[in-house]
Amino acid sequence: MNYRWNYESPTPEQQEAAKALAKELGINPVLGKLLLDRGIGSAAEARRFFRPQLNELLNPFLFKDMGKAVNRLNEALGRKERILVYGDYDVDGCTAVALVYKFLQQFYSNIDYYIPDRYEEGYGVSVKGVDYARETGVKLIIVLDCGIKAVEEIAYAKEQGIDFIICDHHVPDDILPPAVAILNAKRRDATYPYPHLSGCGVGFKFMQAFAQSNGIEFSQLIPLLDLCAVSIASDIVPILGENRILAYHGLRQLNSNPSIGLKAIIDICGLTDREITMSDIIFKIGPRINASGRIQNGKEAVALLIERDYNPAFEKAAQINYYNEQRKDLDKSMTEEANSIVDKLDHSREQRSIVIYNEEWHKGVIGIVASRLTEVYYRPSVVLTRTNDLATGSARSVAGFDVYKAIESCRDLLENFGGHTYAAGLSMKVENVPEFTRRFEAYVEQHILPEQTYAILNIDGKLDFREITHRFYNDLKRFMPFGPENPKPLFCTLRVYDYGTSKVVGREQEHIKLELVDNKSNNVMNGIAFGQSSQARYIKTKQAFDICYTVEENTHKRGEVQLQIEDIRPTGKE
């Protein structure tokens, strides 16, 4: 991918402020500037940022309807009613169901959980799910990470004498379902001050409120925070504010004392005895949980996440690991087919969006393929397949562009849709696909900004190699966990040279292992440039080049700092 580098040198005033803050904290001024960029202007604020405290979590009763939700749950427990915990089949939904089910099961046994089948029922609350509840004597359904648009299905449940409590974080429509309580900080009349919780995060706040109302110590909620961290990382929600507190302490739990199910996944994907980061969740733990719902049924993932014994948990983890291998094979073949279709589209280079449809594609993988297309072509992408008589699909977006609004502009063509700024799901009649394609493209062309049409590397600071010390790396780690609105910092160093020992590595010789020097120090800096072997010939000419990178710990040589190179360009090239 061709990147544009975006770096704005700090003004003299910013430099002075960064230096002053850095001096008070005893850190590099470049890191002082990172704090200022995040709206942190004092040493006291910085210390709170570096060490988020659980007692800073917001009062859960600030949620509109929280009192109603807790009262209805307490009423169900008092009457010994059967409760069903219902959730979406993705990572956020499965972790949310596992969290609420595990917590309530400590105090109450007449409880069940349900994950809809992606292929038979589709996304969200289904009539089949409601019928299952009625047949098993359920009187209260707690629905997590979905439900905010299930007006007809929840009305149907109400007719059957079944109440709903909705815990969702997706954007609602104007008409809300007839639930007893709706916990959603994105509803128009919301009273909760933090709108960015994951679905699992909303479930956690519900359990926090339930615990408060029943005199249960907050310490009993702490073991569930590892599930929150997994959901926050996987659902790509902002990691500032309350999410930062939940993710920070969730990672601590995941590293120190994970639940049995998550420990089995950690072991099965080779993360044992390593410090687990948000990246490990995104690329290793999350995809395995997701694979259950993509290939088989998300209920298997929940069964693993609530398992209490290690041996059966490991067997379940091995099974979802097998699903993940199947998912990767499907992902590879479908992405190749999708790229081939895009390359053959008329005027594809002039188009601002991608919409492709293939009725043979596997529904469980189309979201991943949409993500791949967005990464390669850097355009909002919609990938559709056929499910029964409908074209169903997933959309992904580029930085700064709201794909949900683009889909919403075509709502008269759709049977159903929902999602976020950067990811959405939708369904329509097959005959509507051509018109949807035309109108989606027209909306994107009209609303996308020029700077949203190419990949940008937003560089946080310039460094000399002499500044990249173990202390610098340890101070940088205090900014973790990284994610949206607190991205992993990108740095650049100008005029670097091959030390003479850089080489191409990898099974297909696709990466470069670098040993570099700059003009400012005698340090030889190690780096890895994944998928950039095409740059090796230039590097070996001994000419100067510029690098953009993140600072990492070398996982093969513990304690050694290395650079993960994001882009390489000849010095002087803009």
Side-chain angles (χ1 to χ4, degrees), residues 24-25 40 42-52 478:
E24 194 171 353
L25 293 166
I40 299 161
S42 72
E45 289 175 325
R47 292 186 184 101
R48 283 200 300 275
F49 176 76
F50 288 147
R51 292 184 66 91
R478 295 165 74 188

Side-chain angles (χ1 to χ4, degrees), residues 70 103 206-218 221:
V70 170
F103 190 68
F206 183 23
M207 292 301 96
Q208 184 187 359
F210 170 76
Q212 284 183 22
S213 78
N214 288 281
I216 300 166
E217 291 291 328
F218 181 84
L221 289 159

Side-chain angles (χ1 to χ4, degrees), residues 531-557:
Q532 298 184 59
S533 58
S534 60
Q535 300 278 15
R537 184 174 295 178
Y538 181 85
I539 289 168
K540 287 296 182 182
T541 64
K542 297 187 177 179
Q543 295 182 71
F545 54 96
D546 304 337
I547 55 172
C548 176
Y549 55 86
T550 60
V551 181
E552 311 285 348
E553 183 177 34
N554 188 331
T555 54
H556 301 293
K557 296 180 181 178

Side-chain angles (χ1 to χ4, degrees), residues 147-300:
I148 198 63
K149 292 193 173 186
V151 176
E152 293 178 8
E153 292 83 357
I154 291 177
Y156 171 67
K158 196 172 180 180
E159 291 172 2
Q160 312 301 313
I162 300 169
D163 286 338
F164 262 81
I165 296 170
I166 298 173
C167 303
D168 203 354
H169 67 136
H170 295 95
V171 179
D173 272 340
D174 293 336
I175 299 172
L176 297 176
V180 170
I182 298 175
L183 308 179
N184 187 326
K186 292 190 176 84
R187 55 189 287 183
R188 288 187 178 180
D189 57 352
T191 52
Y192 198 69
Y194 187 75
H196 304 301
L197 290 168
S198 65
C200 185
V202 180
F204 180 86
K205 299 304 293 188
F206 183 23
M207 292 301 96
Q208 184 187 359
F210 170 76
Q212 284 183 22
S213 78
N214 288 281
I216 300 166
E217 291 291 328
F218 181 84
S219 59
Q220 289 191 242
L221 289 159
I222 291 175
L224 303 170
L225 288 170
D226 54 3
L227 292 166
C228 284
V230 171
S231 84
I232 288 166
S234 301
D235 222 51
I236 319 179
V237 289
I239 305 189
L240 286 179
E242 197 161 31
N243 279 340
R244 178 170 174 81
I245 302 170
L246 294 170
Y248 178 90
H249 289 277
L251 280 173
R252 289 180 68 175
Q253 186 71 24
L254 197 61
N255 280 290
S256 63
N257 189 23
S259 65
I260 296 295
L262 285 173
K263 177 70 171 80
I265 301 175
I266 288 166
D267 292 344
I268 210 87
C269 61
L271 293 172
T272 312
D273 298 327
R274 271 184 49 188
E275 183 180 359
I276 296 165
T277 66
M278 298 298 266
S279 292
D280 293 321
I281 296 172
I282 292 167
F283 294 111
K284 294 193 173 183
I285 297 172
R288 284 165 171 81
I289 296 172
N290 243 339
S292 180
R294 293 185 188 281
I295 303 299
Q296 199 65 34
N297 188 295
K299 198 164 186 178
E300 291 186 41

